[in-house]
């Protein structure tokens, strides 16, 4: 519990900066003074429900997401289970996806963003534009999600992947390489 309370200030600052808002703008939106908001973000003032509710409303997020207590729940769809791994909002979202063994007819889609994924186990099929590729455990794909794409099982068994997705087109940057 102490860790959650200690992390509230940095989370509040993160939400505000992520939305490119100044303390003044947030103060106008919530009716909370700039000094109180600043002290909340720096941890010099304890957050109360009366302060957090207007901030959550201004950021348009649920209160439990604002304070970091929202449980990460798997979501099961017809052919896959998606487990969110990122609780902190931000540039990147990280997911673990498990596709069942049933081979599906590809239904390529597009959306803004950039995706990177690594096959953890099994064999997966990636349809990316005109390419149709089978990826095995340990293999990685990276692509612009504005290109029509689809990923699923080859039909030989389930496939498990680790995915990192940047909604605004952020890309993974390798900062250290082996020689």
């Amino acid at each position: 519990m102490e860790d959650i309370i200690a992390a509230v200030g940095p989370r509040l600052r993160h939400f505000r900066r992520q939305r490119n808002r100044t303390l003044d703008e947030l103060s106008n939106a919530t009716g909370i003074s700039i000094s109180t908001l600043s002290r909340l973000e720096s941890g010099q003032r304890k957050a109360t429900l009366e302060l957090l509710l207007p901030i959550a409303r201004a950021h348009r997020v649920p209160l439990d997401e604002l304070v970091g207590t929202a449980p990460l729940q798997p979501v099961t769809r017809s052919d896959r289970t998606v487990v969110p791994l990122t609780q902190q909002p931000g540039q990147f979202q990280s997911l673990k996806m498990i596709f069942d063994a049933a081979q599906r007819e590809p239904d390529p889609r597009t959306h803004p963003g950039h995706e990177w994924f690594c096959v953890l186990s099994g064999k997966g099929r990636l349809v990316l534009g005109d390419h149709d590729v089978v990826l095995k455990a340990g293999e990685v794909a990276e692509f612009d999600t504005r290109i029509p794409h689809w990923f699923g099982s080859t039909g030989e068994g389930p496939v498990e992947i680790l995915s990192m997705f940047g909604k605004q087109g952020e890309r993974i940057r390798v900062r250290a390489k082996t020689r």
Side-chain angles (χ1 to χ4, degrees), residues 99 103-111 115 117 124-135 141-154:
F99 295 84
Q103 185 176 11
R104 303 270 187 247
E105 185 63 31
D107 182 19
R109 309 259 170 132
T110 64
H111 51 88
E115 185 159 358
F117 68 80
R125 180 178 174 202
L126 170 64
V127 175
L128 181 63
D130 296 333
H131 302 283
D132 194 335
V133 182
V134 173
L135 298 164
E142 179 182 6
F143 55 92
D144 184 326
T145 57
R146 293 174 295 180
I147 298 170
H149 62 281
W150 174 90
F151 188 78
S153 173
T154 60

Side-chain angles (χ1 to χ4, degrees), residues 46-155:
K46 286 199 175 194
T48 64
L49 200 52
E50 290 81 13
L51 294 171
L52 291 174
L53 285 173
I55 295 171
R57 204 172 302 120
H59 290 319
R60 296 186 176 155
V61 296
L63 183 60
D64 56 354
E65 187 176 334
L66 186 67
V67 296
T69 58
L72 298 173
Q73 297 292 326
V75 176
T76 301
R77 296 188 182 140
S78 61
D79 68 335
R80 74 192 72 169
T81 299
V82 178
V83 182
L85 301 175
T86 312
Q87 192 164 24
Q88 187 78 8
Q91 290 181 325
F92 291 104
Q93 296 300 308
S94 182
L95 308 166
K96 180 178 177 181
M97 291 191 244
I98 305 157
F99 295 84
D100 68 24
Q103 185 176 11
R104 303 270 187 247
E105 185 63 31
D107 182 19
R109 309 259 170 132
T110 64
H111 51 88
H114 200 87
E115 185 159 358
W116 173 95
F117 68 80
C118 177
V119 177
L120 300 173
S121 66
K123 286 184 185 177
R125 180 178 174 202
L126 170 64
V127 175
L128 181 63
D130 296 333
H131 302 283
D132 194 335
V133 182
V134 173
L135 298 164
K136 297 177 280 188
E139 294 184 317
V140 175
E142 179 182 6
F143 55 92
D144 184 326
T145 57
R146 293 174 295 180
I147 298 170
H149 62 281
W150 174 90
F151 188 78
S153 173
T154 60

